[in-house]
Amino acid sequence: NRSSGKQGTAIAVEAAARGAKVTLVSTVPAAVPPGVDVVRVESAAEMQAAVEARYDDADIVVMAAAVADFRPVRAADHKIKKENGVPEVVLERTPDILAGLGQRKRPDQVLVGFAAETTDLRANAAAKLARKGADLIVANDVSQPQVGFEHDTNAVVIIGADGAEVEVPLSDKRQVAVAVLDAALRVRSAAVRRSPGTQQPGTE
């Protein structure tokens, strides 16, 4: 799809500016401050492996990547010649990374998902939030001008599992990152208070 990785990068940059230890798993080159660990991947399977390997050590996980729902069962390793006729492309589901993380989330851990929608923004996002086991969902209507994919701006509504909402009007993606991390830290603070013996709120 047309996802540029700009929103995920903005969140990594903002988290680093707040003093967090940050790992950015991305399919695109990213300009980030020194100290941010960038892990480059190409496929959904590679992204899943990279995220899951680091998940248990993280306090806050923000899944901003727009991973395709389907992939070819077979990927050709050479040019497909037209003389052989029109090929049949058989698809299979890609791994649902967010749902898998939701199933193994610690009580003191915060999981943030993203929902790129074109209709019924809040209803579809709230349903995804419940289905994936996340604490927050950041929803945007990518059919709107200057919102989401490829743009430097975004407009989102951040929905919490408790029903709380924060709406961010069309803004620079760094400003959206500020709102997302503020919301995640509020959830993290509450989780830490409920879980004696855990570390103080941080962002990873």
Side-chain angles (χ1 to χ4, degrees):
N1 57 42
R2 299 179 290 112
S3 178
S4 63
K6 291 179 178 180
Q7 186 64 79
T9 299
I11 291 170
V13 170
E14 175 62 23
R18 297 183 184 207
K21 179 182 177 183
V22 182
T23 299
L24 174 64
V25 179
S26 180
T27 61
V28 297
V32 294
V36 174
D37 180 21
V38 179
V39 180
R40 289 290 304 278
V41 297
E42 291 187 359
S43 67
E46 289 179 358
M47 178 169 283
Q48 180 185 26
V51 171
E52 289 183 350
R54 295 160 177 82
Y55 185 56
D56 291 341
D57 295 326
D59 298 321
I60 296 175
V61 178
V62 182
M63 297 295 296
V67 180
D69 293 325
F70 301 95
R71 64 186 175 195
V73 172
R74 279 193 205 167
D77 57 4
H78 58 276
K79 181 179 179 180
I80 299 175
K81 305 293 287 185
K82 62 184 178 182
E83 288 82 2
N84 296 329
V86 178
E88 180 183 21
V89 179
V90 180
L91 302 178
E92 64 182 0
R93 286 189 177 274
T94 52
D96 192 328
I97 304 174
L98 181 60
L101 299 180
Q103 291 175 356
R104 48 185 282 211
K105 186 173 71 69
R106 299 191 314 267
D108 65 315
Q109 203 169 29
V110 178
L111 181 61
V112 183
F114 270 64
E117 304 290 347
T118 54
T119 59
D120 298 326
L121 180 68
R122 280 175 167 79
N124 286 334
K128 181 174 183 179
L129 174 65
R131 198 167 61 246
K132 306 294 185 179
D135 298 289
L136 296 165
I137 200 87
V138 183
N140 56 0
D141 183 345
V142 293
S143 68
Q144 296 300 307
Q146 302 302 308
V147 173
F149 296 155
E150 297 180 322
H151 301 298
D152 293 323
T153 52
N154 209 352
V156 306
V157 57
I158 305 168
I159 302 174
D162 60 357
E165 290 188 7
V166 175
E167 188 164 357
V168 183
L170 190 66
S171 309
D172 179 271
K173 285 185 172 177
R174 181 68 179 268
Q175 290 303 116
V176 173
V178 168
V180 170
L181 288 177
D182 285 348
L185 284 171
R186 283 194 295 272
V187 174
R188 166 75 176 159
S189 294
V192 168
R193 287 195 298 270
R194 293 192 302 268
S195 302
T198 56
Q199 296 179 352
Q200 290 302 306
T203 311
E204 289 190 8

